[in-house]
Amino acid sequence: MPDIDLAALRREYTRAGLSEADLAPDWLTQLRRWLADAVAAGLDEPTAMTLATATPDGRPSARTVLLKGLDDGFVFYTNARSRKGRELAANPRAAVVLLWRDLERQVTATGTVAPVSAEESDAYFATRPRGAQLGALASEQSVVIPDRRWLEERVAELAARYPDDVPRPDHWGGFRLRPDEVEFWQGRPDRLHDRLRYRRDGDRWVVERLSP
């Protein structure tokens, strides 16, 4: 395999800029605008976001989840017994990143995470395809398993046990990250990117420009 000169791999970001005058009055409206742009552009998995969590003593971990709700926070669903679920139970602060590379944009947010209601989790679980429902029931997420066959046999067993409705596991559900900071990043030439941040200040939000 040929060596790759990683230091030489670079591109210039020239698609657009982001000024204070461009921003919506609140972060939620602005994020919905950018998310709509990503969907309209036909980007693959426009709702994919990196979720970073940490243990109370500071050991971080990160993975990609899908944004499944957007209101006063970012909603995603997972197994509460997974590594991220355990870390959120012990340290309910997290960060998320949405990257739309083809638009030269990203959004980052940090805040406090709490479970959504059981009713909200039930409603979302009911919209999932049957295969995904069975997968949620079968998977002991983040636990070591013998092999792929073990997982497939478990799914088959559950499919036979539940020929109709698949019950939502008690340990599977949604979380909502309510942000205290949301940053909108637009790539610019010469790495002089535009970074505009909404920051919670008591009962109001302030907008600040950050140095690139």
Side-chain angles (χ1 to χ4, degrees):
M1 180 178 294
D3 290 336
I4 299 174
D5 185 357
L6 298 179
L9 295 177
R10 60 173 54 85
R11 59 177 286 185
E12 283 293 315
Y13 301 117
T14 59
R15 287 183 59 96
L18 181 64
S19 71
E20 286 80 353
D22 296 328
L23 287 182
D26 60 87
W27 70 265
L28 180 56
T29 301
Q30 182 63 34
L31 180 52
R32 285 175 172 162
R33 285 180 185 174
W34 272 21
L35 186 57
D37 289 345
V39 172
L43 302 188
D44 187 40
E45 294 285 20
T47 62
M49 65 182 184
T50 301
L51 168 69
T53 58
T55 58
D57 62 355
R59 288 176 293 168
S61 64
R63 76 292 291 159
T64 302
V65 298
L66 296 179
L67 176 66
K68 287 300 181 181
L70 187 59
D71 39 41
D72 62 336
F74 299 71
V75 179
F76 58 94
Y77 290 83
T78 190
N79 185 322
R81 297 174 183 169
S82 66
R83 178 174 180 176
K84 58 184 171 297
R86 296 193 307 270
E87 290 181 355
L88 288 171
N91 176 16
R93 290 195 59 81
V96 293
V97 182
L98 288 142
L99 172 65
W100 300 300
R101 182 181 58 82
D102 290 347
L103 298 180
E104 301 174 356
R105 289 174 173 174
Q106 72 174 1
V107 176
T108 61
T110 59
T112 302
V113 181
V116 306
S117 68
E119 292 76 15
E120 193 170 347
S121 291
D122 286 340
Y124 173 70
F125 190 79
T127 70
R128 287 166 62 95
R130 175 175 169 81
Q133 292 177 335
L134 289 168
L137 192 61
S139 176
E140 295 292 340
Q141 200 172 95
S142 304
V143 173
V144 175
I145 61 176
D147 50 34
R148 177 76 188 187
R149 181 179 177 181
W150 179 93
L151 182 61
E152 292 172 348
E153 288 177 347
R154 182 168 169 79
V155 171
E157 173 192 341
L158 290 168
R161 187 187 308 174
Y162 300 106
D164 299 313
D165 294 337
V166 179
R168 177 179 68 85
D170 291 339
H171 56 269
W172 189 97
F175 290 85
R176 177 177 283 105
L177 183 150
R178 287 190 169 91
D180 44 46
E181 293 185 358
V182 184
E183 179 187 324
F184 292 82
W185 180 101
Q186 178 73 59
R188 295 296 299 273
D190 301 320
R191 300 300 187 261
L192 296 175
H193 311 304
D194 288 322
R195 298 176 60 192
L196 294 178
R197 178 178 68 185
Y198 295 81
R199 178 175 57 82
R200 188 190 299 276
D201 181 16
D203 294 332
R204 68 189 185 103
W205 290 85
V206 296
V207 174
E208 301 165 319
R209 176 172 286 271
L210 305 179
S211 175

